[in-house]
PDB file of all heavy atoms in Angstrom:
ATOM      1  N   GLU A  24     102.408 103.361  94.427  1.00  0.00           N
ATOM      2  CA  GLU A  24     103.133 102.259  95.073  1.00  0.00           C
ATOM      3  C   GLU A  24     102.225 101.377  95.923  1.00  0.00           C
ATOM      4  O   GLU A  24     102.648 100.307  96.355  1.00  0.00           O
ATOM      5  CB  GLU A  24     104.251 102.816  95.955  1.00  0.00           C
ATOM      6  CG  GLU A  24     105.339 103.528  95.194  1.00  0.00           C
ATOM      7  CD  GLU A  24     106.303 104.267  96.119  1.00  0.00           C
ATOM      8  OE1 GLU A  24     106.070 104.298  97.355  1.00  0.00           O
ATOM      9  OE2 GLU A  24     107.280 104.823  95.592  1.00  0.00           O
ATOM     10  N   GLN A  25     101.007 101.808  96.183  1.00  0.00           N
ATOM     11  CA  GLN A  25     100.104 101.081  97.069  1.00  0.00           C
ATOM     12  C   GLN A  25      99.366  99.982  96.303  1.00  0.00           C
ATOM     13  O   GLN A  25      98.666 100.265  95.329  1.00  0.00           O
ATOM     14  CB  GLN A  25      99.096 102.031  97.715  1.00  0.00           C
ATOM     15  CG  GLN A  25      99.739 103.151  98.501  1.00  0.00           C
ATOM     16  CD  GLN A  25     100.747 102.637  99.494  1.00  0.00           C
ATOM     17  OE1 GLN A  25     100.430 101.766 100.307  1.00  0.00           O
ATOM     18  NE2 GLN A  25     101.961 103.158  99.442  1.00  0.00           N
ATOM     19  N   PRO A  26      99.501  98.715  96.730  1.00  0.00           N
ATOM     20  CA  PRO A  26      98.847  97.612  96.018  1.00  0.00           C
ATOM     21  C   PRO A  26      97.343  97.805  95.839  1.00  0.00           C
ATOM     22  O   PRO A  26      96.795  97.449  94.794  1.00  0.00           O
ATOM     23  CB  PRO A  26      99.147  96.391  96.898  1.00  0.00           C
ATOM     24  CG  PRO A  26     100.412  96.746  97.608  1.00  0.00           C
ATOM     25  CD  PRO A  26     100.330  98.232  97.840  1.00  0.00           C
ATOM     26  N   PHE A  27      96.661  98.374  96.840  1.00  0.00           N
ATOM     27  CA  PHE A  27      95.214  98.569  96.739  1.00  0.00           C
ATOM     28  C   PHE A  27      94.846  99.489  95.577  1.00  0.00           C
ATOM     29  O   PHE A  27      93.768  99.369  95.001  1.00  0.00           O
ATOM     30  CB  PHE A  27      94.670  99.135  98.054  1.00  0.00           C
ATOM     31  CG  PHE A  27      93.177  99.344  98.052  1.00  0.00           C
ATOM     32  CD1 PHE A  27      92.305  98.270  98.122  1.00  0.00           C
ATOM     33  CD2 PHE A  27      92.636 100.620  97.985  1.00  0.00           C
ATOM     34  CE1 PHE A  27      90.933  98.452  98.122  1.00  0.00           C
ATOM     35  CE2 PHE A  27      91.271 100.818  97.985  1.00  0.00           C
ATOM     36  CZ  PHE A  27      90.409  99.724  98.055  1.00  0.00           C
ATOM     37  N   LEU A  28      95.732 100.399  95.234  1.00  0.00           N
ATOM     38  CA  LEU A  28      95.455 101.375  94.171  1.00  0.00           C
ATOM     39  C   LEU A  28      96.082 100.984  92.839  1.00  0.00           C
ATOM     40  O   LEU A  28      95.967 101.736  91.860  1.00  0.00           O
ATOM     41  CB  LEU A  28      95.942 102.760  94.600  1.00  0.00           C
ATOM     42  CG  LEU A  28      95.323 103.304  95.889  1.00  0.00           C
ATOM     43  CD1 LEU A  28      95.966 104.629  96.268  1.00  0.00           C
ATOM     44  CD2 LEU A  28      93.814 103.440  95.766  1.00  0.00           C
ATOM     45  N   ALA A  29      96.709  99.825  92.776  1.00  0.00           N
ATOM     46  CA  ALA A  29      97.382  99.391  91.551  1.00  0.00           C
ATOM     47  C   ALA A  29      96.403  99.379  90.378  1.00  0.00           C
ATOM     48  O   ALA A  29      95.269  98.928  90.503  1.00  0.00           O
ATOM     49  CB  ALA A  29      97.991  98.004  91.735  1.00  0.00           C
ATOM     50  N   GLY A  30      96.853  99.911  89.262  1.00  0.00           N
ATOM     51  CA  GLY A  30      96.040  99.909  88.058  1.00  0.00           C
ATOM     52  C   GLY A  30      95.214 101.163  87.860  1.00  0.00           C
ATOM     53  O   GLY A  30      94.641 101.357  86.791  1.00  0.00           O
ATOM     54  N   LEU A  31      95.120 102.023  88.881  1.00  0.00           N
ATOM     55  CA  LEU A  31      94.433 103.294  88.681  1.00  0.00           C
ATOM     56  C   LEU A  31      95.298 104.175  87.789  1.00  0.00           C
ATOM     57  O   LEU A  31      96.533 104.088  87.804  1.00  0.00           O
ATOM     58  CB  LEU A  31      94.173 103.999  90.013  1.00  0.00           C
ATOM     59  CG  LEU A  31      93.180 103.342  90.971  1.00  0.00           C
ATOM     60  CD1 LEU A  31      92.975 104.224  92.201  1.00  0.00           C
ATOM     61  CD2 LEU A  31      91.855 103.047  90.302  1.00  0.00           C
ATOM     62  N   THR A  32      94.659 105.019  87.014  1.00  0.00           N
ATOM     63  CA  THR A  32      95.401 105.893  86.121  1.00  0.00           C
ATOM     64  C   THR A  32      96.084 107.005  86.908  1.00  0.00           C
ATOM     65  O   THR A  32      95.710 107.301  88.050  1.00  0.00           O
ATOM     66  CB  THR A  32      94.472 106.538  85.072  1.00  0.00           C
ATOM     67  OG1 THR A  32      93.577 107.431  85.756  1.00  0.00           O
ATOM     68  CG2 THR A  32      93.684 105.478  84.294  1.00  0.00           C
ATOM     69  N   GLU A  33      97.054 107.626  86.283  1.00  0.00           N
ATOM     70  CA  GLU A  33      97.729 108.757  86.918  1.00  0.00           C
ATOM     71  C   GLU A  33      96.730 109.871  87.216  1.00  0.00           C
ATOM     72  O   GLU A  33      96.800 110.510  88.269  1.00  0.00           O
ATOM     73  CB  GLU A  33      98.851 109.280  86.018  1.00  0.00           C
ATOM     74  CG  GLU A  33      99.690 110.336  86.686  1.00  0.00           C
ATOM     75  CD  GLU A  33     100.914 110.732  85.880  1.00  0.00           C
ATOM     76  OE1 GLU A  33     101.413 109.907  85.098  1.00  0.00           O
ATOM     77  OE2 GLU A  33     101.355 111.883  86.050  1.00  0.00           O
ATOM     78  N   HIS A  34      95.761 110.065  86.323  1.00  0.00           N
ATOM     79  CA  HIS A  34      94.740 111.085  86.561  1.00  0.00           C
ATOM     80  C   HIS A  34      93.910 110.740  87.801  1.00  0.00           C
ATOM     81  O   HIS A  34      93.642 111.606  88.644  1.00  0.00           O
ATOM     82  CB  HIS A  34      93.838 111.233  85.340  1.00  0.00           C
ATOM     83  CG  HIS A  34      92.676 112.143  85.569  1.00  0.00           C
ATOM     84  ND1 HIS A  34      92.808 113.505  85.714  1.00  0.00           N
ATOM     85  CD2 HIS A  34      91.353 111.876  85.727  1.00  0.00           C
ATOM     86  CE1 HIS A  34      91.620 114.047  85.934  1.00  0.00           C
ATOM     87  NE2 HIS A  34      90.717 113.076  85.949  1.00  0.00           N
ATOM     88  N   GLN A  35      93.487 109.493  87.928  1.00  0.00           N
ATOM     89  CA  GLN A  35      92.700 109.083  89.091  1.00  0.00           C
ATOM     90  C   GLN A  35      93.495 109.250  90.381  1.00  0.00           C
ATOM     91  O   GLN A  35      92.969 109.739  91.381  1.00  0.00           O
ATOM     92  CB  GLN A  35      92.234 107.636  88.925  1.00  0.00           C
ATOM     93  CG  GLN A  35      91.192 107.465  87.842  1.00  0.00           C
ATOM     94  CD  GLN A  35      90.905 106.009  87.513  1.00  0.00           C
ATOM     95  OE1 GLN A  35      91.811 105.169  87.517  1.00  0.00           O
ATOM     96  NE2 GLN A  35      89.638 105.712  87.246  1.00  0.00           N
ATOM     97  N   LEU A  36      94.765 108.875  90.338  1.00  0.00           N
ATOM     98  CA  LEU A  36      95.613 109.044  91.518  1.00  0.00           C
ATOM     99  C   LEU A  36      95.803 110.515  91.848  1.00  0.00           C
ATOM    100  O   LEU A  36      95.836 110.893  93.032  1.00  0.00           O
ATOM    101  CB  LEU A  36      96.960 108.355  91.304  1.00  0.00           C
ATOM    102  CG  LEU A  36      96.912 106.828  91.177  1.00  0.00           C
ATOM    103  CD1 LEU A  36      98.283 106.292  90.785  1.00  0.00           C
ATOM    104  CD2 LEU A  36      96.403 106.182  92.444  1.00  0.00           C
ATOM    105  N   SER A  37      95.875 111.359  90.822  1.00  0.00           N
ATOM    106  CA  SER A  37      96.042 112.802  91.072  1.00  0.00           C
ATOM    107  C   SER A  37      94.796 113.398  91.718  1.00  0.00           C
ATOM    108  O   SER A  37      94.890 114.399  92.428  1.00  0.00           O
ATOM    109  CB  SER A  37      96.395 113.542  89.778  1.00  0.00           C
ATOM    110  OG  SER A  37      95.271 113.625  88.919  1.00  0.00           O
ATOM    111  N   LEU A  38      93.642 112.802  91.487  1.00  0.00           N
ATOM    112  CA  LEU A  38      92.416 113.258  92.149  1.00  0.00           C
ATOM    113  C   LEU A  38      92.395 112.840  93.618  1.00  0.00           C
ATOM    114  O   LEU A  38      91.875 113.558  94.477  1.00  0.00           O
ATOM    115  CB  LEU A  38      91.182 112.703  91.426  1.00  0.00           C
ATOM    116  CG  LEU A  38      90.972 113.169  89.987  1.00  0.00           C
ATOM    117  CD1 LEU A  38      89.817 112.400  89.345  1.00  0.00           C
ATOM    118  CD2 LEU A  38      90.717 114.666  89.936  1.00  0.00           C
ATOM    119  N   LEU A  39      92.958 111.674  93.913  1.00  0.00           N
ATOM    120  CA  LEU A  39      92.982 111.161  95.287  1.00  0.00           C
ATOM    121  C   LEU A  39      94.069 111.806  96.143  1.00  0.00           C
ATOM    122  O   LEU A  39      93.885 111.988  97.347  1.00  0.00           O
ATOM    123  CB  LEU A  39      93.189 109.641  95.280  1.00  0.00           C
ATOM    124  CG  LEU A  39      91.998 108.802  94.830  1.00  0.00           C
ATOM    125  CD1 LEU A  39      92.419 107.365  94.588  1.00  0.00           C
ATOM    126  CD2 LEU A  39      90.886 108.870  95.858  1.00  0.00           C
ATOM    127  N   ALA A  40      95.187 112.141  95.539  1.00  0.00           N
ATOM    128  CA  ALA A  40      96.349 112.620  96.303  1.00  0.00           C
ATOM    129  C   ALA A  40      96.029 113.775  97.250  1.00  0.00           C
ATOM    130  O   ALA A  40      96.440 113.737  98.418  1.00  0.00           O
ATOM    131  CB  ALA A  40      97.497 112.978  95.357  1.00  0.00           C
ATOM    132  N   PRO A  41      95.299 114.815  96.821  1.00  0.00           N
ATOM    133  CA  PRO A  41      95.039 115.923  97.754  1.00  0.00           C
ATOM    134  C   PRO A  41      94.109 115.553  98.915  1.00  0.00           C
ATOM    135  O   PRO A  41      93.967 116.332  99.859  1.00  0.00           O
ATOM    136  CB  PRO A  41      94.370 116.986  96.884  1.00  0.00           C
ATOM    137  CG  PRO A  41      94.497 116.544  95.486  1.00  0.00           C
ATOM    138  CD  PRO A  41      94.824 115.096  95.483  1.00  0.00           C
ATOM    139  N   LEU A  42      93.489 114.379  98.852  1.00  0.00           N
ATOM    140  CA  LEU A  42      92.548 113.950  99.889  1.00  0.00           C
ATOM    141  C   LEU A  42      93.223 113.073 100.938  1.00  0.00           C
ATOM    142  O   LEU A  42      92.556 112.490 101.785  1.00  0.00           O
ATOM    143  CB  LEU A  42      91.373 113.196  99.247  1.00  0.00           C
ATOM    144  CG  LEU A  42      90.696 113.904  98.069  1.00  0.00           C
ATOM    145  CD1 LEU A  42      89.539 113.070  97.554  1.00  0.00           C
ATOM    146  CD2 LEU A  42      90.260 115.306  98.437  1.00  0.00           C
ATOM    147  N   THR A  43      94.558 112.970 100.858  1.00  0.00           N
ATOM    148  CA  THR A  43      95.293 112.091 101.758  1.00  0.00           C
ATOM    149  C   THR A  43      96.286 112.859 102.619  1.00  0.00           C
ATOM    150  O   THR A  43      96.691 113.966 102.289  1.00  0.00           O
ATOM    151  CB  THR A  43      96.071 111.010 100.978  1.00  0.00           C
ATOM    152  OG1 THR A  43      97.091 111.638 100.214  1.00  0.00           O
ATOM    153  CG2 THR A  43      95.168 110.215 100.061  1.00  0.00           C
ATOM    154  N   SER A  44      96.639 112.216 103.714  1.00  0.00           N
ATOM    155  CA  SER A  44      97.703 112.705 104.590  1.00  0.00           C
ATOM    156  C   SER A  44      98.408 111.473 105.129  1.00  0.00           C
ATOM    157  O   SER A  44      98.020 110.343 104.841  1.00  0.00           O
ATOM    158  CB  SER A  44      97.129 113.561 105.719  1.00  0.00           C
ATOM    159  OG  SER A  44      96.227 112.804 106.499  1.00  0.00           O
ATOM    160  N   ARG A  45      99.433 111.692 105.929  1.00  0.00           N
ATOM    161  CA  ARG A  45     100.163 110.570 106.527  1.00  0.00           C
ATOM    162  C   ARG A  45      99.847 110.510 108.019  1.00  0.00           C
ATOM    163  O   ARG A  45      99.690 111.543 108.663  1.00  0.00           O
ATOM    164  CB  ARG A  45     101.656 110.734 106.308  1.00  0.00           C
ATOM    165  CG  ARG A  45     102.029 110.642 104.839  1.00  0.00           C
ATOM    166  CD  ARG A  45     103.512 110.873 104.646  1.00  0.00           C
ATOM    167  NE  ARG A  45     103.836 110.996 103.253  1.00  0.00           N
ATOM    168  CZ  ARG A  45     104.380 110.027 102.532  1.00  0.00           C
ATOM    169  NH1 ARG A  45     104.653 108.867 103.085  1.00  0.00           N
ATOM    170  NH2 ARG A  45     104.652 110.219 101.257  1.00  0.00           N
ATOM    171  N   SER A  46      99.775 109.282 108.533  1.00  0.00           N
ATOM    172  CA  SER A  46      99.497 109.075 109.955  1.00  0.00           C
ATOM    173  C   SER A  46     100.472 108.067 110.532  1.00  0.00           C
ATOM    174  O   SER A  46     101.004 107.225 109.809  1.00  0.00           O
ATOM    175  CB  SER A  46      98.084 108.524 110.156  1.00  0.00           C
ATOM    176  OG  SER A  46      97.117 109.424 109.711  1.00  0.00           O
ATOM    177  N   MET A  47     100.651 108.152 111.836  1.00  0.00           N
ATOM    178  CA  MET A  47     101.438 107.172 112.567  1.00  0.00           C
ATOM    179  C   MET A  47     100.683 106.831 113.854  1.00  0.00           C
ATOM    180  O   MET A  47     100.153 107.716 114.528  1.00  0.00           O
ATOM    181  CB  MET A  47     102.811 107.716 112.929  1.00  0.00           C
ATOM    182  CG  MET A  47     103.666 106.684 113.648  1.00  0.00           C
ATOM    183  SD  MET A  47     105.270 107.297 114.155  1.00  0.00           S
ATOM    184  CE  MET A  47     104.792 108.294 115.551  1.00  0.00           C
ATOM    185  N   PHE A  48     100.623 105.545 114.148  1.00  0.00           N
ATOM    186  CA  PHE A  48      99.970 105.062 115.361  1.00  0.00           C
ATOM    187  C   PHE A  48     100.987 104.273 116.165  1.00  0.00           C
ATOM    188  O   PHE A  48     101.672 103.404 115.623  1.00  0.00           O
ATOM    189  CB  PHE A  48      98.774 104.161 115.018  1.00  0.00           C
ATOM    190  CG  PHE A  48      97.797 104.802 114.073  1.00  0.00           C
ATOM    191  CD1 PHE A  48      97.778 104.453 112.731  1.00  0.00           C
ATOM    192  CD2 PHE A  48      96.916 105.766 114.523  1.00  0.00           C
ATOM    193  CE1 PHE A  48      96.880 105.043 111.860  1.00  0.00           C
ATOM    194  CE2 PHE A  48      96.017 106.366 113.657  1.00  0.00           C
ATOM    195  CZ  PHE A  48      96.000 106.008 112.322  1.00  0.00           C
ATOM    196  N   HIS A  49     101.082 104.576 117.460  1.00  0.00           N
ATOM    197  CA  HIS A  49     101.999 103.848 118.338  1.00  0.00           C
ATOM    198  C   HIS A  49     101.359 102.548 118.801  1.00  0.00           C
ATOM    199  O   HIS A  49     100.128 102.408 118.806  1.00  0.00           O
ATOM    200  CB  HIS A  49     102.375 104.712 119.545  1.00  0.00           C
ATOM    201  CG  HIS A  49     103.157 105.929 119.169  1.00  0.00           C
ATOM    202  ND1 HIS A  49     104.482 105.865 118.804  1.00  0.00           N
ATOM    203  CD2 HIS A  49     102.804 107.229 119.088  1.00  0.00           C
ATOM    204  CE1 HIS A  49     104.912 107.075 118.514  1.00  0.00           C
ATOM    205  NE2 HIS A  49     103.908 107.926 118.679  1.00  0.00           N
ATOM    206  N   ALA A  50     102.183 101.619 119.205  1.00  0.00           N
ATOM    207  CA  ALA A  50     101.695 100.330 119.696  1.00  0.00           C
ATOM    208  C   ALA A  50     100.669 100.542 120.805  1.00  0.00           C
ATOM    209  O   ALA A  50     100.888 101.327 121.725  1.00  0.00           O
ATOM    210  CB  ALA A  50     102.859  99.497 120.214  1.00  0.00           C
ATOM    211  N   GLY A  51      99.543  99.866 120.690  1.00  0.00           N
ATOM    212  CA  GLY A  51      98.494  99.944 121.700  1.00  0.00           C
ATOM    213  C   GLY A  51      97.494 101.061 121.492  1.00  0.00           C
ATOM    214  O   GLY A  51      96.477 101.104 122.188  1.00  0.00           O
ATOM    215  N   ASN A  52      97.745 101.971 120.553  1.00  0.00           N
ATOM    216  CA  ASN A  52      96.791 103.060 120.301  1.00  0.00           C
ATOM    217  C   ASN A  52      95.542 102.532 119.611  1.00  0.00           C
ATOM    218  O   ASN A  52      95.635 101.822 118.614  1.00  0.00           O
ATOM    219  CB  ASN A  52      97.405 104.141 119.407  1.00  0.00           C
ATOM    220  CG  ASN A  52      98.333 105.061 120.154  1.00  0.00           C
ATOM    221  OD1 ASN A  52      98.697 104.818 121.290  1.00  0.00           O
ATOM    222  ND2 ASN A  52      98.722 106.129 119.495  1.00  0.00           N
ATOM    223  N   ARG A  53      94.382 102.904 120.158  1.00  0.00           N
ATOM    224  CA  ARG A  53      93.121 102.569 119.501  1.00  0.00           C
ATOM    225  C   ARG A  53      92.927 103.572 118.376  1.00  0.00           C
ATOM    226  O   ARG A  53      92.932 104.778 118.587  1.00  0.00           O
ATOM    227  CB  ARG A  53      91.945 102.622 120.467  1.00  0.00           C
ATOM    228  CG  ARG A  53      90.644 102.309 119.730  1.00  0.00           C
ATOM    229  CD  ARG A  53      89.626 101.629 120.555  1.00  0.00           C
ATOM    230  NE  ARG A  53      89.955 100.338 121.089  1.00  0.00           N
ATOM    231  CZ  ARG A  53      89.828  99.181 120.401  1.00  0.00           C
ATOM    232  NH1 ARG A  53      89.429  99.177 119.154  1.00  0.00           N
ATOM    233  NH2 ARG A  53      90.126  98.048 120.981  1.00  0.00           N
ATOM    234  N   ILE A  54      92.758 103.055 117.160  1.00  0.00           N
ATOM    235  CA  ILE A  54      92.586 103.909 115.979  1.00  0.00           C
ATOM    236  C   ILE A  54      91.123 104.323 115.856  1.00  0.00           C
ATOM    237  O   ILE A  54      90.818 105.479 115.584  1.00  0.00           O
ATOM    238  CB  ILE A  54      93.084 103.176 114.716  1.00  0.00           C
ATOM    239  CG1 ILE A  54      94.569 102.820 114.895  1.00  0.00           C
ATOM    240  CG2 ILE A  54      92.862 104.025 113.466  1.00  0.00           C
ATOM    241  CD1 ILE A  54      95.108 101.852 113.873  1.00  0.00           C
ATOM    242  N   PHE A  55      90.230 103.380 116.055  1.00  0.00           N
ATOM    243  CA  PHE A  55      88.800 103.694 116.113  1.00  0.00           C
ATOM    244  C   PHE A  55      88.083 102.613 116.899  1.00  0.00           C
ATOM    245  O   PHE A  55      88.577 101.504 117.052  1.00  0.00           O
ATOM    246  CB  PHE A  55      88.170 103.901 114.730  1.00  0.00           C
ATOM    247  CG  PHE A  55      88.355 102.770 113.755  1.00  0.00           C
ATOM    248  CD1 PHE A  55      87.497 101.686 113.743  1.00  0.00           C
ATOM    249  CD2 PHE A  55      89.377 102.819 112.818  1.00  0.00           C
ATOM    250  CE1 PHE A  55      87.657 100.657 112.824  1.00  0.00           C
ATOM    251  CE2 PHE A  55      89.547 101.805 111.894  1.00  0.00           C
ATOM    252  CZ  PHE A  55      88.696 100.719 111.904  1.00  0.00           C
ATOM    253  N   ARG A  56      86.911 102.980 117.415  1.00  0.00           N
ATOM    254  CA  ARG A  56      86.103 102.095 118.242  1.00  0.00           C
ATOM    255  C   ARG A  56      84.807 101.768 117.500  1.00  0.00           C
ATOM    256  O   ARG A  56      84.202 102.622 116.869  1.00  0.00           O
ATOM    257  CB  ARG A  56      85.789 102.775 119.575  1.00  0.00           C
ATOM    258  CG  ARG A  56      85.086 101.884 120.572  1.00  0.00           C
ATOM    259  CD  ARG A  56      85.047 102.468 121.971  1.00  0.00           C
ATOM    260  NE  ARG A  56      86.370 102.750 122.541  1.00  0.00           N
ATOM    261  CZ  ARG A  56      87.199 101.829 123.026  1.00  0.00           C
ATOM    262  NH1 ARG A  56      86.872 100.567 123.019  1.00  0.00           N
ATOM    263  NH2 ARG A  56      88.370 102.187 123.537  1.00  0.00           N
ATOM    264  N   GLU A  57      84.421 100.520 117.609  1.00  0.00           N
ATOM    265  CA  GLU A  57      83.182 100.030 117.007  1.00  0.00           C
ATOM    266  C   GLU A  57      82.009 100.932 117.396  1.00  0.00           C
ATOM    267  O   GLU A  57      81.863 101.312 118.555  1.00  0.00           O
ATOM    268  CB  GLU A  57      82.940  98.600 117.513  1.00  0.00           C
ATOM    269  CG  GLU A  57      81.755  97.892 116.952  1.00  0.00           C
ATOM    270  CD  GLU A  57      81.664  96.452 117.456  1.00  0.00           C
ATOM    271  OE1 GLU A  57      82.661  95.912 117.984  1.00  0.00           O
ATOM    272  OE2 GLU A  57      80.577  95.881 117.314  1.00  0.00           O
TER     273      GLU A  57
END
């Protein structure tokens, strides 16, 4: 469903899936610093 990954094969997506998790950031939270 992610536009950035559109066109990847189901096999390619199945390789990526175990390398992902879900995150939530609240308003004002610094995600990373330069």
Side-chain angles (χ1 to χ4, degrees):
E24 295 170 355
Q25 302 308 307
F27 181 73
L28 301 175
L31 293 184
T32 67
E33 187 172 333
H34 173 70
Q35 290 170 323
L36 294 172
S37 73
L38 296 173
L39 287 168
L42 310 181
T43 66
S44 60
R45 294 177 189 258
S46 297
M47 182 182 75
F48 307 103
H49 295 285
N52 282 11
R53 178 149 298 277
I54 301 168
F55 55 85
R56 187 168 301 284
E57 183 176 344

